[in-house]
Amino acid sequence: MDFLSIPTEDKQRALTELREIKDLFAARNWFPGTSGNLSIRVGDYEPDSFHFAITASGKDKSVHTPEDFLFVDQDGKPCETTRLKPSAETLIHCELYRLTGCGAIFHTHTVFNNVVSEWFWERGSIPVEGVELIKAFNIWDEEAHIDIPVIPNYADIPKIVPEVTKRFDPRVPGIMLRKHGIYAWGANAFEAKRHLEAFEFLFEYVYRWELLKQSKASI
Ligand SMILES: CSCCC(=O)C(=O)COP(=O)(O)O
Ligand SMILES: [Zn+2]
């Protein structure tokens, strides 16, 4: 699908949704130090041809400016002439859209997700056992168990992309970059938000549970 043939109202709706999500997450201090990025796909999806709106790179995501977002294609290239640069992590969004066909991807850095990703780095994934909020991922097994993949956080973003491809688990709508942040995705902004909120809850749960286990073991 050609970018120009995507209805303007669809593009506007995506930008409005991104602004609303950005405000909500900013109110939770989920964008420390300009970290984090958000994207919503627009138009038709083909694995090798799609478009999405994404936060511009290096911006303070806790404030509004007229230059917060831009549209890019499946290769991360801007769809319109602009002086804005797409997120430095746009290629990770491209790969996740290509792999999943999802509609939205949200990325946050929090202390809990960073610490827990390091605590379980050697294991390669963050285990979560039987917590009710696993149901947010539409996993309804009794005492469900999930493993949230943790991949290396290379400075060279293109080097991270094959790690996403290799470790991506279709059952778990998120992937963690070591001591960096979580990428959560969903069919739309509502689902991606639900998934991100569930991941951040589970990271805090795992952090606190590990601390309790350690303190019990030291008694
Ligand atoms: C200061 S955070 C370093 C970059 C990062 O990890 C991030 O999530 C934000 O980068 P962007 O280019 O999307 O602003
Ligand atoms: Zn980041």
Side-chain angles (χ1 to χ4, degrees):
M1 181 177 206
D2 176 67
F3 178 71
L4 294 178
S5 58
I6 299 171
T8 302
E9 59 267 27
D10 292 356
K11 297 172 190 169
Q12 280 308 318
R13 188 180 314 116
L15 294 177
T16 301
E17 280 196 298
L18 279 174
R19 280 191 196 98
E20 288 168 358
I21 291 286
K22 189 162 79 77
D23 286 351
L24 274 169
F25 291 173
R28 299 175 188 173
N29 294 318
W30 277 3
F31 297 130
T34 73
S35 66
N37 37 71
L38 311 168
S39 72
I40 291 184
R41 193 169 54 74
V42 291
D44 293 344
Y45 169 78
E46 295 289 335
D48 59 356
S49 172
F50 50 83
H51 305 85
F52 55 95
I54 191 162
T55 42
S57 184
K59 295 273 184 177
D60 176 352
K61 284 94 182 180
S62 63
V63 296
H64 271 307
T65 79
E67 299 184 318
D68 287 337
F69 309 101
L70 65 157
F71 288 95
V72 298
D73 65 14
Q74 68 286 335
D75 299 320
K77 299 274 184 296
C79 300
E80 302 162 306
T81 304
T82 176
R83 65 200 183 102
L84 298 179
K85 290 213 171 316
S87 166
E89 299 165 3
T90 296
L91 290 180
I92 297 175
H93 290 248
C94 291
E95 184 61 4
L96 288 169
Y97 281 122
R98 189 186 67 79
L99 285 168
T100 66
C102 68
I105 302 169
F106 300 149
H107 167 62
T108 49
H109 301 206
T110 62
V111 172
F112 287 121
N113 72 33
N114 274 241
V115 169
V116 167
S117 72
E118 184 61 1
W119 185 251
F120 287 105
W121 167 245
E122 299 302 328
R123 185 179 188 278
S125 62
I126 299 160
V128 187
E129 300 281 346
V131 182
E132 179 70 1
L133 226 66
I134 291 174
K135 288 178 179 168
F137 308 132
N138 202 24
I139 297 171
W140 295 77
D141 312 329
E142 188 85 22
E143 285 302 305
H145 171 101
I146 60 169
D147 284 294
I148 305 164
V150 183
I151 64 175
N153 180 45
Y154 298 122
D156 179 30
I157 297 294
K159 208 172 153 193
I160 298 177
V161 172
E163 297 292 329
V164 171
T165 316
K166 189 168 65 177
R167 296 294 317 281
F168 153 79
D169 174 352
R171 190 173 173 246
V172 178
I175 196 161
M176 186 68 212
L177 274 58
R178 181 189 185 188
K179 291 190 285 185
H180 176 155
I182 181 78
Y183 283 85
W185 57 88
N188 50 47
F190 173 85
E191 199 175 83
K193 175 176 178 288
R194 184 180 78 218
H195 292 163
L196 182 69
E197 289 173 341
F199 280 122
E200 291 298 353
F201 176 98
L202 294 172
F203 291 135
E204 184 171 353
Y205 170 89
V206 168
Y207 171 87
R208 296 183 186 283
W209 179 239
E210 289 296 311
L211 273 184
L212 281 174
K213 284 195 295 185
Q214 298 291 322
S215 55
K216 190 175 174 188
S218 65
I219 296 171

